[in-house]
Amino acid sequence: MEALKVKENIYWVGVKDWNLTEFHGYHVSHGSTYNSYLIKDEKIALIDGVKQYLSQENIERIKSVTDFSKIDYIIVNHVELDHSGNIPELVKLAPQAVVVTNSAGKMALEAHFDTTGWNFQIVKTGESISLGKRNITFVTTPLLHWPDSMMSYCPQEKILFSNDGFGQHYCANTIWASETNFGIVCEEAKSYYANILFPYGMQAQKALNTANELNLEIEMIAPSHGCIWNGKEEVNWILSNYAKWASGETDGSAVVVYDTMWGATAKLAETITAVFQDAGVPVVKRCLTNAHTSEVMCDILEAKYVVIGTPTLNNELFPRVAAFVTYLKGLAPKNKKGFAFASYGWRGGVVNKIQTIMEELGWQTIAPFEEKYTPKPEVLEKLKEHTKQILG
Ligand code: FEO
């Protein structure tokens, strides 16, 4: 397991998780990577660890370019276990290394591990450590997406080591976005934002503002998941899209998401979809029997309209719809318009559970729509007129 060169004396020493399909509820289509970087200067710094079960691969790559006894700093940008799982093992191999993190990072490391004997250096935004010819400047990005989240910037190389920010769950045979299917990398970056960072748009905007205030010149963004964004065009693509996603700007599209038991809710979904289509609104219709919640969240990221439907099962939401709206509520998309729809047999009302969530999220809504058993043509006509209200 050899290290891969990023720039002269800067190496990727991360690991590839080719078979990953699930990341705490987020369905992952192309595996993932946990990127760890090593900078060799007069002093040697390691940036971020990896998941515990892939530690050996990380260790072998580090050993291919340095002895552990020569590592001066272990920088912990984020304590979620996909980046810190093997930090105790790394500290054990390099007990002389100073563990550099922010105060929330230290608290989180202490809460996860036995840190007795660790030599901590606590940093704040704008503070730096010197490696010799190169410095590392720290930018804390609290709640993007954990309290301890931080990015590390090397001004001499113009590289931002951005941890989760700008990352993608994407595993390829290269570390460079330009050397693989760039369209998939971009789509995975969008999916990552939708499924991990969606609730933290304000924090993302703040991080982008801080980068501007500190005049960070960025020629390369090296995240801790997926591929490295290299060069002006790629860096601008990801920065401008983060600015757009963080602002809640929509592209005017619609998402109709539902599940169905005996086809009644599907008929309602089809009718609503046709109204959007006929009005020239780009629309996707997703049935949760086939579409995974995390794919639908990616559709919702830039959508203007979100309409959600459920069958009634034992006087409750259909379980896959219940799971979906729970996930949606946590990711808290803002600036949407929508309504809920439902079919039922002998007792209605579950539709209000979805409608309430939409209202709690601050969405602009019209009244919910529900129908008993199979909707007749006249009911579908009524639903068409109902749906048109949201376009007004
Ligand atoms: Fe990639 Fe928040 O961990």
Side-chain angles (χ1 to χ4, degrees):
M1 294 286 176
E2 298 287 317
L4 300 174
K5 187 173 160 185
V6 174
K7 274 193 157 189
E8 204 57 42
N9 287 318
I10 300 180
Y11 300 93
W12 177 87
V13 290
V15 300
K16 299 191 180 200
D17 200 348
W18 291 98
N19 296 325
L20 185 81
T21 53
E22 201 270 342
F23 191 93
H24 56 53
Y26 170 9
H27 173 70
V28 171
S29 305
H30 300 99
S32 192
T33 69
Y34 315 110
N35 300 338
S36 170
Y37 299 95
L38 189 112
I39 305 175
K40 283 177 88 172
D41 203 315
E42 288 159 32
K43 294 194 170 187
I44 296 180
L46 177 71
I47 301 177
D48 290 331
V50 303
K51 269 187 181 173
Q52 204 280 329
Y53 64 75
L54 291 165
S55 185
Q56 201 48 39
E57 198 174 319
N58 182 217
I59 289 167
E60 281 180 31
R61 286 207 167 90
I62 294 167
K63 280 184 175 168
S64 75
V65 280
T66 188
D67 288 340
F68 268 85
S69 62
K70 292 181 181 165
I71 295 176
D72 297 282
Y73 295 108
I74 296 175
I75 296 168
V76 178
N77 276 327
H78 177 30
V79 183
E80 193 164 8
L81 292 166
D82 48 334
H83 310 293
S84 76
N86 76 333
I87 292 290
E89 206 174 343
L90 299 177
V91 173
K92 208 169 171 181
L93 288 166
Q96 75 291 344
V98 174
V99 177
V100 181
T101 189
N102 55 74
S103 55
K106 180 171 183 276
M107 279 197 288
L109 285 168
E110 286 169 344
H112 279 89
F113 309 115
D114 178 1
T115 60
T116 309
W118 292 21
N119 184 10
F120 280 105
Q121 180 172 341
I122 303 304
V123 293
K124 293 179 185 159
T125 289
E127 291 183 355
S128 302
I129 56 172
S130 171
L131 302 180
K133 294 188 187 73
R134 302 173 183 85
N135 298 333
I136 301 292
T137 302
F138 301 98
V139 181
T140 59
T141 53
L143 288 177
L144 193 62
H145 65 128
W146 275 26
D148 52 78
S149 296
M150 180 171 88
M151 299 186 186
S152 301
Y153 173 68
C154 179
Q156 291 79 12
E157 303 286 357
K158 299 184 173 58
I159 304 179
L160 182 68
F161 298 95
S162 59
N163 193 265
D164 278 342
F166 314 117
Q168 331 94 45
H169 281 316
Y170 183 65
C171 189
N173 60 356
T174 170
I175 57 172
W176 302 106
S178 57
E179 288 183 356
T180 182
N181 187 322
F182 191 70
I184 295 179
V185 176
C186 295
E187 196 56 27
E188 289 298 342
K190 181 180 172 188
S191 175
Y192 190 91
Y193 187 96
N195 283 281
I196 304 278
L197 303 179
F198 214 154
Y200 308 108
M202 220 161 61
Q203 289 81 0
Q205 274 175 327
K206 201 172 163 208
L208 294 168
N209 292 343
T210 307
N212 281 335
E213 284 158 20
L214 293 173
N215 286 319
L216 304 190
E217 276 184 74
I218 302 170
E219 288 181 356
M220 186 185 291
I221 296 179
S224 288
H225 293 294
C227 292
I228 298 173
W229 308 96
N230 186 25
K232 203 171 168 187
E233 203 176 317
E234 292 178 17
V235 167
N236 283 349
W237 186 89
I238 189 68
L239 288 178
S240 60
N241 274 283
Y242 260 58
K244 180 175 70 177
W245 298 329
S247 73
E249 185 185 323
T250 74
D251 61 6
S253 64
V255 179
V256 179
V257 52
Y258 70 100
D259 213 319
T260 196
M261 283 170 64
W262 295 104
T265 322
K267 274 194 176 144
L268 300 176
E270 201 176 310
T271 301
I272 294 164
T273 303
V275 172
F276 284 116
Q277 268 169 351
D278 292 349
V281 174
V283 57
V284 291
K285 177 163 69 77
R286 300 286 188 212
C287 178
L288 291 166
T289 304
N290 308 304
H292 194 279
T293 294
S294 40
E295 294 168 54
V296 181
M297 284 314 305
C298 194
D299 296 325
I300 288 177
L301 178 61
E302 295 181 11
K304 180 176 181 180
Y305 306 100
V306 182
V307 187
I308 305 171
T310 186
T312 304
L313 180 65
N314 301 325
N315 295 327
E316 270 300 340
L317 293 174
F318 195 66
R320 277 192 291 266
V321 178
F324 171 75
V325 293
T326 302
Y327 192 71
L328 175 88
K329 188 178 174 186
L331 289 168
K334 302 279 186 293
N335 198 25
K336 307 292 179 197
K337 288 181 161 190
F339 69 95
F341 63 99
S343 54
Y344 64 95
W346 48 98
R347 187 166 150 190
V350 295
V351 75
N352 295 319
K353 295 188 184 202
I354 301 174
Q355 193 81 8
T356 300
I357 288 174
M358 291 177 167
E359 283 158 14
E360 284 171 359
L361 290 171
W363 294 8
Q364 205 177 317
T365 56
I366 57 169
F369 189 98
E370 61 178 348
E371 179 58 17
K372 188 177 171 79
Y373 291 126
T374 302
K376 302 285 188 302
E378 59 272 23
V379 171
L380 297 178
E381 281 307 313
K382 203 172 123 195
L383 176 58
K384 279 184 189 169
E385 293 311 308
H386 184 82
T387 304
K388 283 176 189 168
Q389 290 176 49
I390 205 164
L391 296 168

